[in-house]
Amino acid sequence: MAIRQGLLALLSQGPRYGYQLRAEFEASTGATWPLNIGQVYTTLSRLERDGLVSPGEQDEQGRVVYSITEAGRAEMERWFGTPVAQSDRPRDELVIKLALAVTAVTDVRPIIQAQRTATMRTLQAFVRARHASAENPAQRLVLDSMIFQAEAEQRWLDHCEAVLTAATRPQGPADAEHLTTDVPTPEHPNA
């Protein structure tokens, strides 16, 4: 998600100044995406340049309150109406790391185990945070997504270990048939 669309979504609820936007953005995302205040003001400047927000007058403390424009509302609605494509998401460093480890390292199992342990700790922290944020639906949705992703990562790590274990077995004619039936495959409707 681009920060600009997140700020537009928050501004659609009413005028706000930079520090309010930062605090509300972090609260809405369960503090999983901390923003630097410089990012907020740089983004607001670009949104103003693009005609998506308009600044108000400075208050007595020198803060400028921004409002969303009609063009900004249209941009926000376009963003909400457009599904996020898999290709739009950043590359998965863990996948790349394990693929390169299989090429460069003799025994990848310690790498998988270290990641499994770290992912389990993260999963437990997400579950605790979800219980603490039960009253905030936005935070709950973000944390649920992160929990599901961590659970999927655990399953994928199990799958990696099974595939690599099967690949290191000696392969004779009897083993080739055994390999095709014992190696778990991802559970996917199109697989």
Side-chain angles (χ1 to χ4, degrees):
M1 173 184 94
I3 295 170
R4 64 189 276 130
Q5 284 87 1
L7 297 184
L8 288 173
L10 292 171
L11 287 169
S12 73
Q13 301 301 304
R16 286 163 171 69
Y17 56 89
Y19 280 95
Q20 284 176 306
L21 289 166
R22 180 180 132 196
E24 289 180 28
F25 185 94
E26 290 179 359
S28 294
T29 60
T32 59
W33 189 346
L35 286 183
N36 176 302
I37 194 63
Q39 288 176 291
V40 173
Y41 283 108
T42 299
T43 304
L44 285 170
S45 293
R46 290 181 183 146
L47 290 169
E48 181 183 355
R49 175 199 67 201
D50 296 341
L52 303 175
V53 301
S54 61
E57 298 297 319
Q58 285 189 355
D59 67 9
E60 63 280 349
Q61 296 174 345
R63 300 177 299 202
V64 175
V65 175
Y66 290 84
S67 299
I68 192 169
T69 64
E70 285 306 312
R73 282 190 192 285
E75 170 65 18
M76 179 196 68
E77 289 171 11
R78 184 201 59 76
W79 178 62
F80 281 142
T82 305
V84 178
Q86 249 345 88
S87 61
D88 292 341
R89 298 177 190 178
R91 289 182 176 87
D92 188 330
E93 184 178 348
L94 176 59
V95 173
I96 294 167
K97 179 180 183 178
L98 285 181
L100 292 171
V102 167
T103 303
V105 179
T106 308
D107 187 6
V108 180
R109 288 175 299 189
I111 298 168
I112 292 172
Q113 186 55 43
Q115 185 64 46
R116 184 182 286 122
T117 301
T119 301
M120 183 54 71
R121 282 191 198 114
T122 301
L123 178 59
Q124 291 167 345
F126 290 155
V127 169
R128 284 191 301 273
R130 180 179 62 187
H131 290 301
S133 68
E135 300 298 316
N136 184 326
Q139 286 181 1
R140 171 90 193 259
L141 290 175
V142 170
L143 290 165
D144 284 345
S145 173
M146 295 172 85
I147 288 167
F148 295 153
Q149 289 172 19
E151 289 170 343
E153 184 172 291
Q154 289 287 46
R155 287 194 324 273
W156 181 74
L157 290 167
D158 292 343
H159 173 75
C160 289
E161 191 169 53
V163 167
L164 293 172
T165 298
T168 59
R169 283 192 225 141
Q171 295 183 10
D175 290 326
E177 182 180 321
H178 182 71
L179 248 179
T180 59
T181 58
D182 276 359
V183 176
T185 57
E187 294 178 19
H188 190 277
N190 297 329

